[in-house]
Amino acid sequence: MQPIDLRSDTVTHPTPEMREAMARAAVGDDVYGEDPTVNALEALAAEMTGKEAGLFVPSGTMGNLTAVLSHCGRGDEVILGTQSHTFLHEAGGISALGGVHSCQIPNQPDGTLALEDIRAAIRTEDIHHPVSRLLCLENTHNDCGGVPLSGEYTRSAAEIAHQHGMAVHLDGARLFNAATALGVSAADLAAPVDSVTFCLSKGLCAPVGSVLCGSGAFIGRARRIRKQLGGGMRQAGVLAAAGLIALEKMTLRLEEDHRRARLLAEGLQTVPGLLLDKGMPLTNMVYLALSEAVPLSAFRIADRLREDGILVGPRDARHFRLVTHYWIDDPAVEKTVSAFRAALS
Ligand SMILES: *Cc1c(COP(=O)(O)O)cnc(C)c1O
């Protein structure tokens, strides 16, 4: 039996339709720019994010790294959130590989960076200072509970950066979840920023890949950086074929995942000992905390759930993150609530 895997939406397997499209995909050498399926994916991604051009990359991490290295030189500074994926979960790549300095400012509970904090972080002209070159935002904000950031907020933050000659990059790993939750288009949310990445391989179910989008000139630079990082792939059309279905079809069904996240949260809220750590989910992530009365650790509870065929992600000894996706149906939600109830009783 397939486990009910709520650890992340990265665990999603490709759909049967994707597997068929992958088998049939027209391919070519993408480093030569000759893979028609990759070219089609990049064009569609650019159109859907409202940018001139797109670049298919193997992962979201490489998409963000490529973006930062395309915007910044060694010793330049990027302003980002203390809870941002790029700061916390990308192995320090921007510093290790790009020599890019980071200025971290606190994320607010709603995933935003306070506008006054951004203003205060921007360096003045002084030879002692690194040059503030880039502002990075994240939408949805993963560690802040999968919260969507409004286009209005993004516009205000980007305006400050642009006034100071800085560029803005949006880590939109789950940009389409944000757009769905807010009832706007991905292009609306990305309009104020200079570059944006989103993942095909999370809630959109493709097996591999992200797309970085921006102006034609920016993507031209990014194409060289991707090659430098070893991310130039050859007959990548077999992967892009799944990505096309991800964009054309899977973006249309994300509300189902959000509805199930709410259903899961409502159910788990009734289990004694469980608290919704970051409120009712707005997208596909449910963050849970154990109340002080619970003697078991989150790791121990996760072990018990595993015996029932349910995989959840303990974040530490007292917290979990559960993520809904294409392969989680209504019965899986019910079973998960029952299993938590049994494990805690
Ligand atoms: C998953 C994720 C990434 C990176 O994606 P990978 O494909 O796992 O490298 C970047 N940003 C955020 C917010 C993410 O959740």
Side-chain angles (χ1 to χ4, degrees), residues 59-61 64 85 90 138 140 142 171 173-174 199 201-202 210:
S59 68
T61 298
N64 287 334
H85 194 277
E90 296 175 15
E138 184 175 316
T140 62
N142 184 341
D171 175 357
R174 297 183 182 80
C199 291
S201 60
K202 292 183 172 167
S210 287

Side-chain angles (χ1 to χ4, degrees), residues 297-320:
S297 77
F299 301 107
R300 187 73 198 86
I301 293 168
D303 287 343
R304 286 195 183 176
L305 294 171
R306 184 181 288 268
E307 288 164 19
D308 293 332
I310 297 168
L311 306 181
V312 297
R315 307 185 73 221
D316 58 34
R318 306 303 295 173
H319 298 89
F320 300 94

